[in-house]
Amino acid sequence: MEDYWMRAAVGWPLNGWVLCLFLIPTSFFSVTVLVVGSTDPVRGIVGGDVILPCFLRPTRSAVEESVEWQRPVLEPKEVHLYRDRSDDNVLQNPSYSGRTSLFSEELKNGNVSLKLTNVKHSDAGNYTCYIPTLGHQKTTIELYVGGAAPRPWLSIVETKDKEVVLKCEAEGLVYKPELVLLNSKGTILPADESTERPMDSEGLYTVTRYFTVQKTATNMFTCQVQQLEIKHMRETRIRVPDKMFQEECPLERKVGIGFLGAVVGSVVGAVVVFLFMRRIAEETNGGCADSGIALLENSNVKGHPNGVRVSQPGERDSQHTLD
């Protein structure tokens, strides 16, 4: 039954005073309550939680209202139902079972937002916040769902004169990524080149970038990949060892070092050859001396071509002349 407010009006007819009473419905003076959501898409990450905002404006308690969250493209379309001061899960779509809830303490403040947990790729789409007890008012909120991509890869691929080339690569991204490299001060460094592959058969992106960096106080660098559409970011850090930034020798020093090495090698080779030849000579001379002694010991005076007789052991020393 609709409430009424009594209003009196005084008239001035010709025959006297007349008191007129009017009964006017109170709804005539009530302010219309609107169901308000988000005009911008809500962005979520696979495996995370997300809140789909919905409020009564001006603020009014929703404790006694019926609240229905729906996805018209599903069957059944009910994502979450609240009626008679409690949740009603009988008609809820099975794919949302155990994953939805309202903020019960906030209902008195007109907050009928929906919390969705363990977000899936299939959750992306339009949701309707519907209050049938407020003149069937409703609002629509769009949900974007992005993949929780793995951390990017960051590695050293080349060293130059006082510089190092780093490679940063990210893959398995649902939304088009933005990949940057920062130094220890948080400054974005320029990239040498970028390789962005088109989406694969699963609709995922892969991007690769190379960065030439110089030595810093910490040599700490951070590769950061962002998916701006869903406000998602992941990063990987690396510390480049100081020795990677060593200065290469100038050409003159390289030539000098090469020449010195050749000279030292030649000297060492000559010494080795000299020692080897000397040893062969010593071995050869020693062999000839031994042979000569043996021949002299086995010869006699008459048979010796020079007529020299060698004293045999036990004989007295005597003076010999030629025959």
Side-chain angles (χ1 to χ4, degrees), residues 82 91 96 220 290 309:
Y82 170 86
L91 299 178
Y96 289 91
M220 189 70 71
D290 294 340
R309 183 178 183 277

Side-chain angles (χ1 to χ4, degrees), residues 77-323:
K77 63 183 179 180
E78 284 74 19
V79 172
H80 188 92
L81 295 179
Y82 170 86
R83 58 182 67 173
D84 299 328
R85 289 176 166 264
S86 64
D87 295 326
D88 183 354
N89 299 322
V90 176
L91 299 178
Q92 185 183 37
N93 190 295
S95 64
Y96 289 91
S97 178
R99 298 196 297 128
T100 63
S101 62
L102 300 181
F103 297 91
S104 57
E105 295 300 321
E106 288 294 317
L107 289 174
K108 63 180 181 293
N109 299 321
N111 183 354
V112 292
S113 301
L114 179 72
K115 181 178 180 180
L116 177 61
T117 63
N118 191 22
V119 175
K120 305 175 182 179
H121 280 298
S122 58
D123 292 337
N126 291 329
Y127 290 75
T128 300
C129 177
Y130 174 50
I131 315 293
T133 53
L134 283 178
H136 301 281
Q137 290 216 39
K138 64 180 66 176
T139 187
T140 301
I141 298 96
E142 185 176 7
L143 173 63
Y144 285 169
V145 178
R151 295 182 182 277
W153 297 95
L154 184 58
S155 59
I156 300 173
V157 296
E158 185 182 355
T159 59
K160 298 180 179 180
D161 188 11
K162 293 185 178 181
E163 294 180 328
V164 171
V165 179
L166 301 179
K167 174 185 177 182
C168 187
E169 183 174 37
E171 58 183 2
L173 306 172
V174 175
Y175 295 92
K176 193 171 182 178
E178 183 68 28
L179 190 149
V180 297
L181 186 77
L182 302 92
N183 60 18
S184 57
K185 296 180 180 180
T187 303
I188 297 179
L189 304 178
D192 297 342
E193 57 180 297
S194 178
T195 304
E196 183 178 318
R197 304 177 198 168
M199 289 188 297
D200 58 19
S201 58
E202 297 182 358
L204 303 178
Y205 287 94
T206 295
V207 60
T208 303
R209 281 192 171 184
Y210 295 88
F211 302 85
T212 299
V213 300
Q214 297 179 338
K215 187 176 180 180
T216 67
T218 62
N219 292 337
M220 189 70 71
F221 300 93
T222 302
C223 177
Q224 201 174 83
V225 60
Q226 304 177 41
Q227 296 181 91
L228 300 178
E229 289 189 61
I230 56 174
K231 299 180 181 178
H232 178 253
M233 183 273 290
R234 301 206 72 179
E235 62 183 27
T236 298
R237 295 181 180 179
I238 189 174
R239 185 185 183 281
V240 181
D242 289 344
K243 62 183 180 181
M244 292 291 185
F245 294 96
Q246 293 296 328
E247 181 179 3
E248 295 183 1
C249 294
L251 180 61
E252 295 80 2
R253 289 183 59 188
K254 292 181 180 180
V255 173
I257 292 173
F259 178 75
L260 179 59
V263 172
V264 173
S266 300
V267 172
V268 173
V271 172
V272 172
V273 171
F274 172 75
L275 294 176
F276 179 73
M277 295 300 295
R278 180 178 178 180
R279 181 170 183 178
I280 292 177
E282 289 177 351
E283 291 179 353
T284 303
N285 293 336
C288 292
D290 294 340
S291 300
I293 294 172
L295 290 172
L296 288 174
E297 290 177 347
N298 295 327
S299 64
N300 53 41
V301 175
K302 291 183 180 180
H304 197 279
N306 295 325
V308 179
R309 183 178 183 277
V310 180
S311 297
Q312 298 297 321
E315 294 183 349
R316 294 182 304 171
D317 292 338
S318 58
Q319 190 176 21
H320 299 278
T321 59
L322 294 175
D323 293 341

